[in-house]
Amino acid sequence: MEKQKAGKRPIALPITLVLLVFSLIGNVFLYSQYLQNKQQNNYEIGQTVIEKLTESRLYAQEMVKTIDGLAQSATQAERYELAYQIGRAATLGYSVSELMMEAGKLSEGVGSSGAEEAEAYVNAAAAKLSGVAHHEGKLSDGDLEQLAALKADFEEMEQALGGFNYAIGENRTASIRLAGGYEWVDIANKVRQVIIEQ
């Protein structure tokens, strides 16, 4: 009889091992889901950054074009058409503020104040240009100097934004890396420098 009892195995050990295996499988699955969601979130952040960089560059280019048009305009009628372009370009300008906001999440140099500074800059530039656009008669030397100073700012901004490789938006891995500030936070800092020096 003693030999029969010694041959029996307790059922608790196999059940414990099965539960442990299922627990490990569940943990691996949940962790892989977490990583996948994090990667998707970083990809979306990267795409947002590319969009804001593109719109910011387009804003700078549009403003340079509009300033050239104002400087060469001879009549108020020509300037009224340019006033519309100033307003349209200013809506793109808010992407500079959004870019600063994204950079502020990753860089102490930009901070949350960078977004406020950018928004104030966009509004001030639009107001100055709109004032010149609604000016009657020939533009004064003061108006032309103001336009030249603004144009220099926007050209510097465009040059800084031109340093980004916009083709990486097509590459998923490169877009994911942007969420960590790779390649673009320094550009945002240069743009901010243009804004605070004006």
Side-chain angles (χ1 to χ4, degrees), residues 53-161:
L53 284 164
T54 303
E55 289 175 358
S56 296
R57 186 177 185 198
L58 186 59
Y59 165 66
Q61 290 169 341
E62 287 293 314
M63 291 306 263
V64 167
K65 240 190 290 185
T66 303
I67 290 168
D68 282 341
L70 282 172
Q72 295 168 7
S73 65
T75 65
Q76 193 175 14
E78 290 175 324
R79 288 188 214 118
Y80 278 146
E81 187 177 326
L82 291 167
Y84 168 75
Q85 291 177 8
I86 293 165
R88 192 182 67 191
T91 59
L92 283 172
Y94 294 111
S95 60
V96 178
S97 175
E98 292 165 0
L99 180 67
M100 294 300 134
M101 196 176 303
E102 288 294 328
K105 295 174 187 174
L106 300 168
S107 169
E108 292 178 18
V110 177
S112 61
S113 63
E116 295 164 7
E117 292 165 349
E119 191 170 336
Y121 178 81
V122 168
N123 290 334
K128 286 178 188 175
L129 292 175
S130 187
V132 172
H134 290 91
H135 182 44
E136 292 182 21
K138 189 178 177 185
L139 295 178
S140 67
D141 289 341
D143 290 332
L144 293 172
E145 285 174 19
Q146 193 176 35
L147 290 176
L150 277 171
K151 181 180 177 185
D153 285 349
F154 285 114
E155 284 176 335
E156 194 175 342
M157 190 184 295
E158 183 185 356
Q159 184 178 8
L161 291 162

